[in-house]
Amino acid sequence: MDSYPNPCPEYSTQGATGQLFSALVTTLVGSYCALGGSQYYPEDRGYIFDSASGPFEYDFVVVGAGSAGSVIANRLTEIPDWRVLLLEAGSDPIGTSDIPGAAFLIQKGEHDWGYITEKDPEICGGFTNGTCYWPRGKGIGGSTLINFMLYVRGNKKDYEHWKALGNTGWGYEDVLPYFKKSQDMRMPHLKNSKYHGKGGYLSLEDFHDHYFDGLSDSIVKAGAELGFGPSEDANGDVQSGFNNIPGTLNQGARMNIARAFLTPIKDRENLHVVKKAHVTKILIDDDKRAYGIQFVKNGKKYEIPVKKEIILSAGTLNSPQILMLSGIGPKSHLEELGIKLVQDLQVGKNLQDHFIFLGNSFATKPLHPEAKEPLLVFDDLYEYLTRRTGQFSKVRLANVVAFISTNDKNYAEDYPDIEYHHIYFPANDTITLKHVLIMFNMDCELGEELLRLNTEKDLMIQFPLLLRPKSRGHLLLKSTNPFDSPRLFPGYLKHKEDVKTVLGAVRFTQRFIKTSAMEPHKPEMLRVQYRACSQFPYDSDEYWECAMRQVGTTCYHVTGTCKMGPAEDQGAVVDPSLRVRGVRGLRVADASIMPNVVSGNTNAATIMIGEKAADLIKESHLGPSGHTEL
């Protein structure tokens, strides 16, 4: 035991007791350090560009190490003769991002671009400066460093609709093999499902926290009372119902996409990763061929040639920004900024997001009357560090996800229009509740009421997520400076049908809290008096619409700004092979290519897009036999 260092130099650690305490502290520190770190990820090879061993030329450059880019870099480097450069604007993940229970606490940090929407008097009124905060991941792993780790694919009909729009090869039966290819499904009842795969890079585990069984069981039973019984698998035969959703986890730790797809190949000689590399422009010649990439690292500008292709996987906000800075976008907008036009395309249009309403909240009697004082969170941290179990290995009720329909037609067709997530705050949970309010930039009466009630009651935000919004937003450049954030116009609730659907979700919750299953918890809907809505009687349709415009915001599922479509689709930016129209050697592969947002969380679908994109690229350069048959 003499090998353990003394954590308290001013005290003697002689004797068995002192040595035991030293061993305990050392073990805890070692467990914390093992959570994450640069040793798990590919080396930053940026230094080679300052050496004298150039010129440097790659077969492929992938921009963005997120849900699609990490997958593409992995699959392309399966071909030993191909040299791949992966550029990422952020750095390696911090260790605490590996802790699932810290999901509430890691936004607005170094792994978050921290975007703010443009001010619009019709929406986001209850947030700071009347704007919505849009977190987006920045780092090796992208938004999977800060998301809530839920694995949801959307509805089968989503992909059939993509196909019907003219996107050949993107129907449900076409994309299902790519979903399965990534997976290592570890939930026992789904291991042998025809909808799931085993042995892939992405581990999926049970996300259920038994500490909340008394409430989660009631939630599922209440859903059944209202006609939405438990579904065995929302990613399988039937989406509708109250579900236990898998999480992207590995033995109690977050499985971010880089940990899944880059860690196993971090020493491949044909993969070079450069971190803190901010891409500023795609280099395009007079024949409209992308021949290189320009980026800035440590204040120095680099231009790297590429032999075959550039693949933009920078995300729904950054991919269109890079395209427009490179001269690919709406002609009038680029000319206004003095950017030389390369190709006139509807880049930045068709922006879609899953709007959520945070005002759909209710209070209940405490689930655990002996609820812990905030200081005793250290007990949970100790359990997590020593065993990777307990509440920090889960995210409370995040696993309980419901898909419901607010009209009979969608119900009959198993095509839900609302997804419910649950944020739960036990009584006196001051640490988490205050941080969540900060996370959303909430600055209105709802936050005040939540904090007041939490002193004595448990709180639940059963927030509805609008699955298929009819409203559309858009994105513009702020300037020609690539370090300026783009201008974001969400377009929430422009279409009255969206308001009607979210209102239907509020009325569903009102029925939900009156079910016999929920009665033991004594739920009470929060009666918030928004100053901006004082002219409307409480619980009127007008009151709820006004409240939506106060505390409705993003569920971090922005998509569609580089729309995929056939040649006749005037709004399409890329074709069904993800090639940018009119520009050779350039593709986009991330959530921005979705013609319509999927009916569920977007991470799983974006990983699928990365898998399929890699095969499309291989087929282009190696022929039909150039990739593994699925």
Side-chain angles (χ1 to χ4, degrees):
M1 299 181 77
D2 292 337
S3 61
Y4 290 107
N6 181 2
C8 307
E10 64 273 27
Y11 293 105
S12 170
T13 58
Q14 292 180 353
T17 303
Q19 288 293 320
L20 283 171
F21 275 104
S22 294
L24 172 62
V25 171
T26 301
T27 300
L28 291 175
V29 171
S31 178
Y32 173 75
C33 293
L35 283 171
S38 295
Q39 70 271 23
Y40 295 108
Y41 300 98
E43 175 190 10
D44 186 346
R45 302 296 291 270
Y47 64 86
I48 66 173
F49 300 122
D50 292 322
S51 71
S53 58
F56 304 99
E57 192 172 68
Y58 293 89
D59 295 287
F60 299 93
V61 174
V62 181
V63 180
S67 295
S70 292
V71 174
I72 293 168
N74 177 307
R75 299 304 187 186
L76 293 185
T77 53
E78 290 174 340
I79 310 300
D81 293 336
W82 284 354
R83 298 183 74 236
V84 177
L85 175 64
L86 175 61
L87 299 173
E88 168 54 47
S91 57
D92 289 328
I94 56 174
T96 48
S97 71
D98 281 3
I99 305 174
F104 289 112
L105 309 175
I106 57 179
Q107 292 178 13
K108 296 194 172 182
E110 61 185 277
H111 292 317
D112 185 355
W113 285 93
Y115 290 126
I116 301 290
T117 64
E118 295 292 306
K119 191 166 184 176
D120 181 338
E122 296 296 315
I123 57 172
C124 305
F127 304 105
T128 303
N129 298 322
T131 59
C132 281
Y133 184 78
W134 277 12
R136 301 309 303 159
K138 182 181 183 180
I140 300 294
S143 290
T144 66
L145 302 179
I146 62 173
N147 71 359
F148 280 74
M149 296 154 280
L150 296 171
Y151 185 85
V152 181
R153 295 174 177 169
N155 193 284
K156 298 177 183 179
K157 292 182 177 63
D158 299 329
Y159 304 101
E160 290 303 297
H161 189 207
W162 289 9
K163 181 179 177 180
L165 291 173
N167 294 297
T168 304
W170 290 90
Y172 181 70
E173 293 301 325
D174 299 309
V175 301
L176 178 59
Y178 289 106
F179 280 116
K180 295 171 65 175
K181 182 179 182 180
S182 297
Q183 288 185 304
D184 183 19
M185 173 54 75
R186 299 177 181 179
M187 292 179 70
H189 73 290
L190 297 178
K191 272 187 173 182
N192 297 315
S193 167
K194 66 180 181 179
Y195 295 105
H196 296 283
K198 294 182 288 187
Y201 287 106
L202 186 69
S203 56
L204 300 175
E205 296 181 350
D206 188 12
F207 211 9
H208 182 71
D209 188 343
H210 291 286
Y211 183 79
F212 298 100
D213 277 351
L215 182 58
S216 59
D217 290 347
S218 296
I219 291 173
V220 172
K221 290 176 182 176
E225 282 188 48
L226 297 175
F228 295 93
S231 170
E232 182 181 76
D233 180 13
N235 297 308
D237 281 323
V238 177
Q239 185 184 35
S240 300
F242 282 66
N243 303 268
N244 176 28
I245 297 295
T248 50
L249 305 170
N250 182 19
Q251 297 179 345
R254 175 191 291 269
M255 177 56 83
N256 71 62
I257 197 68
R259 194 69 174 262
F261 280 85
L262 296 182
T263 297
I265 65 160
K266 67 186 186 72
D267 296 321
R268 277 186 186 166
E269 293 183 0
N270 61 337
L271 173 66
H272 284 180
V273 177
V274 180
K275 305 163 190 178
K276 297 186 178 179
H278 192 110
V279 171
T280 54
K281 190 176 183 180
I282 300 160
L283 305 175
I284 304 169
D285 64 23
D286 292 339
D287 292 326
K288 294 189 179 182
R289 181 187 180 280
Y291 68 88
I293 199 84
Q294 183 185 91
F295 67 91
V296 172
K297 180 177 172 66
N298 296 329
K300 185 175 179 180
K301 184 184 293 185
Y302 300 87
E303 292 187 355
I304 307 299
V306 59
K307 290 197 292 186
K308 290 183 170 63
E309 292 193 35
I310 295 167
I311 302 100
L312 276 184
S313 297
T316 296
L317 307 184
N318 295 95
S319 286
Q321 181 184 27
I322 294 169
L323 286 175
M324 288 192 284
L325 288 168
S326 307
I328 302 169
K331 180 180 179 181
S332 59
H333 179 51
L334 299 188
E335 288 181 343
E336 180 184 358
L337 292 172
I339 297 173
K340 181 182 177 182
L341 182 69
V342 173
Q343 187 71 15
D344 183 10
L345 295 173
Q346 295 300 297
V347 176
K349 307 295 185 182
N350 192 48
L351 188 152
Q352 299 160 63
D353 187 20
H354 283 148
F355 173 86
I356 62 172
F357 175 44
L358 298 175
N360 203 50
S361 309
F362 54 89
T364 67
K365 73 175 187 179
L367 179 63
H368 296 286
E370 74 288 0
K372 301 172 182 176
E373 294 295 324
L375 184 62
L376 296 185
V377 72
F378 290 115
D379 290 347
D380 296 325
L381 284 171
Y382 175 81
E383 181 179 355
Y384 185 77
L385 287 175
T386 55
R387 300 180 181 87
R388 294 291 190 265
T389 58
Q391 290 190 53
F392 275 96
S393 67
K394 315 291 183 184
V395 188
R396 301 185 179 182
L397 290 174
N399 68 295
V400 181
V401 175
F403 292 92
I404 67 114
S405 300
T406 61
N407 65 65
D408 293 338
K409 181 177 184 294
N410 287 339
Y411 181 85
E413 295 180 357
D414 183 32
Y415 204 20
D417 49 30
I418 289 289
E419 177 182 358
Y420 282 111
H421 290 287
H422 303 84
I423 304 180
Y424 186 73
F425 306 97
N428 201 30
D429 187 12
T430 54
I431 294 175
T432 308
L433 177 55
K434 286 181 179 178
H435 195 88
V436 168
L437 297 178
I438 292 171
M439 180 178 80
F440 283 113
N441 276 2
M442 191 174 288
D443 184 25
C444 69
E445 299 82 355
L446 175 60
E448 297 165 6
E449 184 69 1
L450 288 168
L451 287 168
R452 183 185 71 81
L453 286 172
N454 190 232
T455 59
E456 59 185 31
K457 294 186 177 183
D458 289 5
L459 298 174
M460 172 86 81
I461 303 177
Q462 187 184 50
F463 64 82
L465 179 157
L466 181 64
L467 284 173
R468 289 186 299 286
K470 296 194 174 182
S471 304
R472 295 290 185 269
H474 65 283
L475 172 157
L476 295 172
L477 293 179
K478 187 174 293 182
S479 72
T480 57
N481 183 347
F483 292 92
D484 280 348
S485 299
R487 300 181 67 198
L488 308 174
F489 302 84
Y492 295 142
L493 305 181
K494 282 187 176 180
H495 200 292
K496 281 294 183 182
E497 193 67 27
D498 291 348
V499 175
K500 180 181 177 182
T501 302
V502 178
L503 178 60
V506 172
R507 299 306 185 195
F508 182 91
T509 295
Q510 291 177 330
R511 299 193 300 274
F512 174 88
I513 64 174
K514 292 178 181 178
T515 58
S516 59
M518 289 299 294
E519 195 281 332
H521 302 282
K522 306 300 179 187
E524 301 174 23
M525 203 83 171
L526 267 64
R527 188 180 178 119
V528 181
Q529 299 296 331
Y530 300 96
R531 285 182 287 274
C533 307
S534 58
Q535 69 271 38
F536 303 118
Y538 175 76
D539 201 36
S540 65
D541 289 356
E542 294 79 8
Y543 165 86
W544 287 114
E545 178 177 350
C546 180
M548 291 174 209
R549 298 183 184 278
Q550 290 299 300
V551 291
T553 186
T554 181
C555 199
Y556 322 147
H557 298 163
V558 286
T559 63
T561 52
C562 299
K563 180 185 178 184
M564 173 176 63
E568 59 270 22
D569 185 346
Q570 297 301 307
V573 175
V574 300
D575 67 14
S577 291
L578 308 186
R579 296 171 296 204
V580 174
R581 296 196 173 281
V583 181
R584 291 181 294 124
L586 179 61
R587 299 190 204 226
V588 180
D590 55 32
S592 71
I593 65 96
M594 296 185 189
N596 293 303
V597 63
V598 294
S599 303
N601 309 56
T602 51
N603 184 43
T606 307
I607 296 169
M608 176 276 292
I609 290 168
E611 291 279 22
K612 184 170 174 63
D615 268 5
L616 290 169
I617 294 165
K618 288 178 178 178
E619 186 169 340
S620 291
H621 297 277
L622 301 175
S625 60
H627 61 84
T628 304
E629 287 298 322
L630 299 179

